[in-house]
Amino acid sequence: MTSTARPGVPGAGGLPTGTGYAPCHHGELLQGVFRDGEGHRCAGLVTLPMAGPGSDARFVRRPGTPPEALTVLPADRAKAARAAALTVAECARRAALPPCGGELRLTGDIPVGLGMGSSTSDVIAAVRAVADSYGLRLPADTVARLAVRAELACDPLMLDGRPVLFAQREGRVLEVLGPALPPLVVVGCTLGGGEPVDTLALPARTPAEAGADEVRAYERLRAMLRRAVATGDVRLLGEVATASARRGQQVLRHPEFEALTAVARRAGAVGVQIAHSGAVAGVLFDPAAPGLRHRVRDCVRGLDAHAIPATRTFTTLTTLTTVTTGKEPAHGPARRGVDRPTGPDTPRQPARLPAL
């Protein structure tokens, strides 16, 4: 459902203006090839939500201008620009107005190339800002469809942290795993020296090319994750994430992966997770485990001893509170009080979250 169309909030020069925000994630808990409800194979993933870094967008709509007169700042955000153009066409149709041009301005602090969903975050923020300029709030499945058209595959950031198995190349939910993930404490780090991963250079396989044994293995992990969410079993969740991460090494081949898992075992973690299309990784802890602070300190020291840079220690509890209380983050208005510079060379730096 969408709201009734209303004029966007007037911006500079009295033009209708909309804002949007989208979060990031911290890589995946599970990624592989699965079967949908009709038995068809699909690439799918379950992301690990993380509060903090995100993308803000502001769109100034210029009625009466041709739709190709659409600009974006920074100018290198081509995927967000495509998303904005597609959303203008969608919203103009819904509002019975002619498509027009405008200016999209993006700001954000998500590290690029680490597998944290920076491009999807830009795209979704852009979609929400354009829709907001028309006085519309597009449903999540429409946002997902527009995002896939803009960037060919997208992360489920439009769903605001709910644990779902998501077909990233099709923009649809394969399964809602439950209302919330079991609570986790995550010690984040980067592999491969933190260098961005060129996902286009990775070996590409279609779901049809996956072997039957491989699909069955992923379906077993899916069933285990479903059970972990239903029962709040943090240890079982960690087992699934570690198994998925290990499978991902067949493509990523991070030289530090065995050291990462060894550090996790010694620190009493429940497992590890990685970004299957990036360098970010995490050591997963049960927040109810005794001596948690000591375990986390041991983990950070162990990572340092293996020259694996620790980036942030965070908990999923903030995200889960949002989901379980039913209080959705604002999709339209961007976060206030954040003044980030824009420009083609604007660096995206990882925002260090408070350590435990």
Side-chain angles (χ1 to χ4, degrees):
M1 296 292 291
T2 62
S3 60
T4 303
R6 56 171 174 75
V9 177
L15 296 172
T17 301
T19 55
Y21 169 75
C24 70
H25 61 77
H26 198 266
E28 286 75 40
L29 292 168
L30 175 61
Q31 182 163 342
V33 178
F34 306 89
R35 295 193 180 275
D36 65 10
E38 298 180 353
H40 300 140
R41 292 181 177 188
C42 301
L45 51 79
V46 180
T47 55
L48 174 62
M50 183 180 71
S55 296
D56 291 289
R58 180 179 180 86
F59 183 71
V60 179
R61 183 160 54 91
R62 302 187 185 280
T65 61
E68 60 269 20
L70 193 154
T71 59
V72 61
L73 294 172
D76 62 348
R77 307 293 167 83
K79 294 177 181 178
R82 285 197 295 271
L86 292 167
T87 309
V88 164
E90 176 76 21
C91 293
R93 180 185 63 79
R94 290 172 180 249
L97 294 171
C100 65
E103 179 186 89
L104 174 68
R105 184 179 293 268
L106 293 159
T107 55
D109 54 1
I110 306 173
V112 174
L114 296 186
M116 297 175 68
S118 60
S119 62
T120 295
S121 185
D122 278 352
V123 162
I124 294 174
V127 169
R128 288 174 170 171
V130 172
D132 190 46
S133 78
Y134 281 90
L136 296 171
R137 177 169 169 168
L138 298 176
D141 59 348
T142 301
V143 177
R145 174 173 56 81
L146 292 168
V148 168
R149 289 180 64 192
E151 59 171 343
L152 302 182
C154 71
D155 298 309
L157 299 176
M158 73 293 295
L159 301 175
D160 298 315
R162 284 175 290 168
V164 300
L165 180 63
F166 187 75
Q168 70 270 27
R169 299 175 188 173
E170 303 172 33
R172 64 188 177 105
V173 174
L174 298 177
E175 180 182 355
V176 178
L177 297 168
L181 288 172
L184 292 166
V185 170
V186 183
V187 177
C189 60
T190 54
L191 305 179
E195 290 296 320
V197 171
D198 182 1
T199 55
L200 296 178
L202 295 177
R205 288 199 307 160
T206 65
E209 293 174 307
D213 289 345
E214 185 178 2
V215 176
R216 282 193 291 270
Y218 281 123
E219 285 292 347
R220 284 194 294 271
L221 292 177
R222 173 185 185 174
M224 290 168 63
L225 184 56
R226 182 191 303 125
R227 187 164 72 251
V229 172
T231 62
D233 191 332
V234 181
R235 189 160 293 280
L236 183 59
L237 184 151
E239 184 180 340
V240 170
T242 303
S244 180
R246 189 171 293 283
R247 284 183 167 272
Q249 294 311 301
Q250 296 172 14
V251 174
L252 294 171
R253 302 187 185 281
H254 291 303
E256 314 98 323
F257 183 74
E258 294 304 328
L260 176 71
T261 57
V263 168
R265 285 194 301 271
R266 286 195 293 268
V270 298
V272 301
Q273 58 86 214
I274 63 168
H276 288 249
S277 60
V280 75
V283 181
L284 309 177
F285 289 90
D286 182 347
L292 177 63
R293 291 178 183 272
H294 179 73
R295 294 172 190 263
V296 168
R297 284 195 296 268
D298 283 351
C299 177
V300 172
R301 283 196 291 263
L303 293 174
D304 183 63
H306 288 278
I308 301 174
T311 54
R312 70 198 78 215
T313 298
F314 67 95
T315 173
T316 61
L317 289 170
T318 300
T319 303
L320 297 180
T321 298
T322 299
V323 175
T324 55
T325 58
K327 296 179 180 178
E328 280 188 288
H331 292 179
R335 297 175 297 176
R336 306 299 181 189
V338 180
D339 183 16
R340 304 190 188 104
T342 61
D345 298 322
T346 301
R348 292 172 178 262
Q349 298 296 332
R352 186 174 294 275
L353 302 186
L356 293 176

